[in-house]
Amino acid sequence: MDTYATVAPQLSGSSATGSPAVSSDSPGTATSSVSATSDARLGQQAAPPSVPAACLACRGKHLKCDGNTPCSRCTSSNSECLYVPSRRGYKGPRRGTAHNPNKRHASSSPPYVGAEDAATACPMMLGHGGVPIAVPSLAGFNPGIVLPEQSPVSYTAASPMTNVPLYRNSFAPAMDPNALALTTTTTPAAQVVAAPPPVQPPVPTLAERCFDAFYHFFHAGHPFVLPKEPLIRLREEGSTPNLNVLMAAMKYIGSLYVDAGPAKATYFDEAVRLCYQPGTPKDGFLIQALLLLIIGLDGQCDQGRARELLADCERYAIEIDLNKRNFATIHGRGNPVLEESWRRTWWDLYVCDGMIAGVHRITKFLLYDIQADVGLPCEEQQYLTGRIPQTFYMEDFDDQTFSDEEVDFSSFTYRIAAMRNMGRMMRMPPVMFPDDAAIDRVQSLFTNWRMHLPDGKRDDLTRNCQLDEMMFQAHFITHACTIMLHQPLSQLDTSPVAAVNSCAPHRPVPSGDNFNLHTRHTLTSASEISKMITQAVPVTRHTHFFTCVITLSSIVHLSRWALYFVDDEDHLRQQVRLNIGALHKLSRVWKAADTAWGQVKGVAQDIYRQKKAQQISPAFWVGFTQEQMISSINADEGIMSEFTNVGGVGPVNAVGVLGPGKG
């Protein structure tokens, strides 16, 4: 029948008439005695005991099961009888018991193995028929998930038995299929919400990319514009009329570092139009915009137009008193970072004016003769974080040797001092003899600058081993000044390098029989410049003025390489490789570097061919062993292959040249 089987209780030692129970003192009757309180229930039929669980076949057909193994229905239908244990009433693991991973708990169901399959059954199998439960994933279980093309009702309904085997997952947590089905059926369909897709950040516009590229590539080399966050806040306030002029110039500079296409020219034209349109007030932001355009034009080989804008920028700066001490206070709006930006604007204009005058040898470094009492800039990290310290002045810097007060001056200050030494050298009267006392006086400026550097400023690294771009520029300015001072009096014939004139006109220097002191100064500074290329930072992060400094170093190296016999020629050729590789890298951003790269590489090829022609003569190999001859020829072939390939040399990485075809 379709009801659960019931078993009638058998009460030993009791009668239908309700006679008292036999005393418990009587031997053999203790197990059949009942208490007096149970007399009232005598004669009433006891409730049938509940079946712990129904087999899967009965549950799948929604029929009652008698709980036997096998049950009567499976026996009559000759089907396999399987049970899934119930966890109702489970209170969790016992407290205080040690965890044994090999112990099977009572609530776990051992895998069912039929007698006929005992020899071949897999120990991971629970049975041979499918069960209407969902197997939880390893990442967790969400009872509100609805599978595609399946409603919550159809998802929880029992499926017919199949022959798909069910395996025990030893990695998944134990789940009660009854509780699982109950949870999914009681979850309203309206509450089932799919997880939202991840939010994708908006694609930046070209203008935004140029703005970010300005700070990523350029700002460290000329850090006079406000740091990124303060500038954005100032733009959001909307109370600065000329800020849009500065932003246009920043976009132009940033476009040089990204694939901007025709937008490059558009940004430049817009910036120039805004700078010179009627009604544009002359203020510090206009000076900053013009200075950015001057640097960009000079790096793109438009030096004539750069000089025109430089003349206007210098005139405007003096008209608005940017060179006066109180300008930063009056126009700083009580913001220490903005006040620092105005001080840096004057001094960066001063440095760029000297750079253009020194490397191109056309202008006269006008600002060197302008009286200025502007405060000295602070360290870069202080500027970027807004922690502006006490301001010092140039008289404090000049008196530091003779005062008892110890003051830590910034790297920007030593950059200004190096450029001031260049101005003093450019004001030196013409020198006619190698032992002129004027040369010693200027050289003492360079030597004193190096000698009195603090320990933390002697190299180009900060305390965190990061590149100090301001000290980097200060050092290469001093090396360039040393070459410009001593090269005319050295014995390095410059006629083989007359074609290298992209930065400055060729300066003829006659050759001599012996190297004098001026030649030694020149060669040492040229080697130091090449060594600076090996700094662990991409060369494109440096100011574009480094292009002309590298070119100046290359002229010295090539002049020496053109000599008939050179000591340590292999090292000299490696320095030429470094310079050519750095110029090639810089040429990806700056057109001036591309011109210099082509000229230096062309002269290097000519010198190499001349060297090869000399090797035809037997007199060239006098004193060489056969091994040395073979090594020299192989080295020359490798150098020539690098000079003649498309890139000139292998690409320069963070620490120099990798070699042809690498990187």
Side-chain angles (χ1 to χ4, degrees):
M1 59 181 174
D2 296 341
T3 58
Y4 285 110
T6 59
V7 181
Q10 303 295 328
L11 301 178
S12 301
S14 63
S15 64
T17 60
S19 60
V22 179
S23 173
S24 61
D25 296 335
S26 302
T29 60
T31 57
S32 61
S33 63
V34 295
S35 63
T37 56
S38 64
D39 293 342
R41 292 195 296 270
L42 293 177
Q44 298 178 0
Q45 187 176 1
S50 60
V51 178
C55 70
L56 295 179
C58 292
R59 288 174 57 186
K61 299 176 181 179
H62 297 280
L63 300 176
K64 293 184 179 180
C65 182
D66 57 11
N68 294 327
T69 305
C71 71
S72 58
R73 293 186 182 279
C74 292
T75 302
S76 61
S77 61
N78 195 22
S79 59
E80 192 174 13
C81 189
L82 297 177
Y83 286 86
V84 175
S86 174
R87 294 174 60 89
R88 282 180 289 180
Y90 176 63
K91 303 300 183 181
R94 295 180 181 177
R95 297 184 180 179
T97 59
H99 175 67
N100 184 359
N102 297 322
K103 181 179 178 180
R104 181 177 57 83
H105 296 282
S107 59
S108 300
S109 175
Y112 174 83
V113 181
E116 66 278 10
D117 300 327
T120 59
C122 175
M124 295 293 289
M125 293 194 62
L126 290 175
H128 303 286
V131 293
I133 62 172
V135 180
S137 65
L138 296 179
F141 172 71
N142 182 1
I145 296 177
V146 178
L147 299 180
E149 300 179 357
Q150 197 171 32
S151 66
V153 176
S154 63
Y155 173 62
T156 58
S159 61
M161 300 295 290
T162 63
N163 292 325
V164 180
L166 178 64
Y167 293 91
R168 180 190 302 277
N169 187 349
S170 58
F171 300 97
M175 298 292 292
D176 181 9
N178 296 330
L180 177 63
L182 179 62
T183 306
T184 54
T185 52
T186 56
T187 303
Q191 297 180 4
V192 178
V193 180
V199 179
Q200 296 294 335
V203 178
T205 63
L206 178 59
E208 292 171 340
R209 290 171 53 213
C210 294
F211 180 76
D212 292 337
F214 171 86
Y215 281 101
H216 184 74
F217 293 102
F218 182 85
H219 188 258
H222 296 277
F224 57 89
V225 176
L226 280 171
K228 189 174 183 179
E229 297 302 326
L231 184 68
I232 292 176
R233 288 196 298 267
L234 192 63
R235 181 181 61 182
E236 291 174 349
E237 292 176 2
S239 58
T240 307
N242 265 3
L243 193 59
N244 63 327
V245 182
L246 174 61
M247 296 290 290
M250 292 170 62
K251 285 193 300 183
Y252 163 65
I253 294 295
S255 69
L256 301 176
Y257 295 90
V258 300
D259 187 13
K264 243 180 239 183
T266 303
Y267 288 155
F268 174 79
D269 293 339
E270 178 188 7
V272 173
R273 179 184 61 81
L274 292 174
C275 286
Y276 287 97
Q277 71 179 354
T280 299
K282 297 177 183 178
D283 60 3
F285 292 109
L286 176 61
I287 302 300
Q288 290 181 343
L290 287 172
L291 182 53
L292 292 179
L293 295 177
I294 292 165
I295 296 171
L297 287 170
D298 188 79
Q300 297 304 316
C301 277
D302 197 349
Q303 298 169 3
R305 196 169 186 183
R307 290 194 299 270
E308 294 176 1
L309 267 65
L310 178 62
D312 293 338
C313 187
E314 291 172 340
R315 185 174 68 255
Y316 294 161
I318 296 171
E319 288 179 5
I320 66 174
D321 293 333
L322 186 63
N323 58 318
K324 299 296 180 62
R325 176 178 300 193
N326 59 353
F327 180 89
T329 305
I330 295 173
H331 301 277
R333 306 180 185 182
N335 185 343
V337 179
L338 185 57
E339 294 176 4
E340 173 70 11
S341 177
W342 297 140
R343 292 189 289 266
R344 286 167 170 262
T345 301
W346 166 259
W347 287 121
D348 214 279
L349 178 60
Y350 177 90
V351 170
C352 289
D353 186 22
M355 287 269 202
I356 293 174
V359 299
H360 299 316
R361 302 171 193 168
I362 296 178
T363 57
K364 300 298 182 182
F365 195 2
L366 174 66
L367 295 185
Y368 175 79
D369 299 318
I370 300 299
Q371 184 68 30
D373 57 354
V374 181
L376 296 174
C378 62
E379 293 287 6
E380 301 311 299
Q381 190 62 25
Q382 295 171 332
Y383 181 48
L384 296 176
T385 58
R387 299 192 298 267
I388 309 300
Q390 175 188 354
T391 303
F392 295 99
Y393 298 88
M394 189 56 73
E395 54 265 27
D396 300 322
F397 180 80
D398 292 334
D399 296 340
Q400 62 177 324
T401 305
F402 308 103
S403 63
D404 296 332
E405 185 179 2
E406 293 289 337
V407 178
D408 293 331
F409 291 96
S410 66
S411 299
F412 203 135
T413 299
Y414 288 100
R415 176 181 180 234
I416 296 170
M419 185 54 64
R420 188 174 58 166
N421 288 339
M422 178 181 281
R424 292 171 177 170
M425 181 190 71
M426 295 180 69
R427 297 299 185 268
M428 182 180 66
V431 176
M432 302 301 298
F433 304 101
D435 57 350
D436 196 311
I439 296 179
D440 294 334
R441 287 194 293 269
V442 175
Q443 180 58 45
S444 67
L445 295 175
F446 305 152
T447 304
N448 274 325
W449 182 89
R450 294 192 185 96
M451 187 178 300
H452 294 284
L453 285 175
D455 292 338
K457 306 293 183 183
R458 294 190 181 278
D459 52 26
D460 309 325
L461 300 177
T462 64
R463 295 178 180 177
N464 298 327
C465 290
Q466 301 295 320
L467 179 70
D468 188 342
E469 178 66 23
M470 293 295 96
M471 283 308 303
F472 183 89
Q473 293 186 25
H475 281 291
F476 79 57
I477 289 171
T478 304
H479 292 315
C481 288
T482 302
I483 293 176
M484 288 187 288
L485 176 66
H486 293 282
Q487 185 189 26
L489 302 174
S490 69
Q491 279 109 3
L492 292 174
D493 184 10
T494 59
S495 57
V497 294
V500 183
N501 56 8
S502 59
C503 290
H506 171 248
R507 177 184 293 182
V509 176
S511 62
D513 296 332
N514 299 313
F515 283 174
N516 56 16
L517 181 63
H518 301 288
T519 306
R520 182 177 181 85
H521 278 297
T522 304
L523 294 177
T524 300
S525 293
S527 298
E528 290 297 320
I529 292 171
S530 296
K531 189 187 300 182
M532 296 181 74
I533 298 173
T534 65
Q535 283 285 2
V537 64
V539 292
T540 53
R541 297 287 185 91
H542 301 308
T543 174
H544 91 279
F545 289 114
F546 193 40
T547 296
C548 289
V549 175
I550 295 174
T551 305
L552 187 62
S553 169
S554 301
I555 291 173
V556 175
H557 291 327
L558 295 173
S559 298
R560 184 187 175 199
W561 193 24
L563 298 176
Y564 183 80
F565 181 78
V566 180
D567 293 332
D568 197 10
E569 185 173 355
D570 182 66
H571 178 63
L572 179 60
R573 288 184 297 192
Q574 296 303 321
Q575 290 179 321
V576 174
R577 288 181 65 199
L578 277 172
N579 288 15
I580 294 177
L583 291 174
H584 180 51
K585 280 290 186 179
L586 287 166
S587 67
R588 299 180 180 181
V589 179
W590 305 106
K591 185 178 178 181
D594 184 68
T595 303
W597 168 68
Q599 292 178 353
V600 172
K601 186 180 69 169
V603 171
Q605 292 173 339
D606 292 339
I607 293 176
Y608 171 79
R609 295 187 185 99
Q610 294 175 9
K611 290 284 186 179
K612 295 296 291 183
Q614 294 173 1
Q615 293 177 5
I616 299 176
S617 172
F620 180 84
W621 299 106
V622 173
F624 284 83
T625 66
Q626 183 178 4
E627 182 180 353
Q628 290 173 336
M629 292 172 57
I630 295 175
S631 176
S632 178
I633 293 174
N634 291 336
D636 288 343
E637 292 297 335
I639 293 293
M640 191 58 186
S641 65
E642 294 172 358
F643 288 167
T644 56
N645 65 11
V646 177
V649 297
V652 176
N653 67 344
V655 294
V657 178
L658 291 172
K662 297 181 181 180

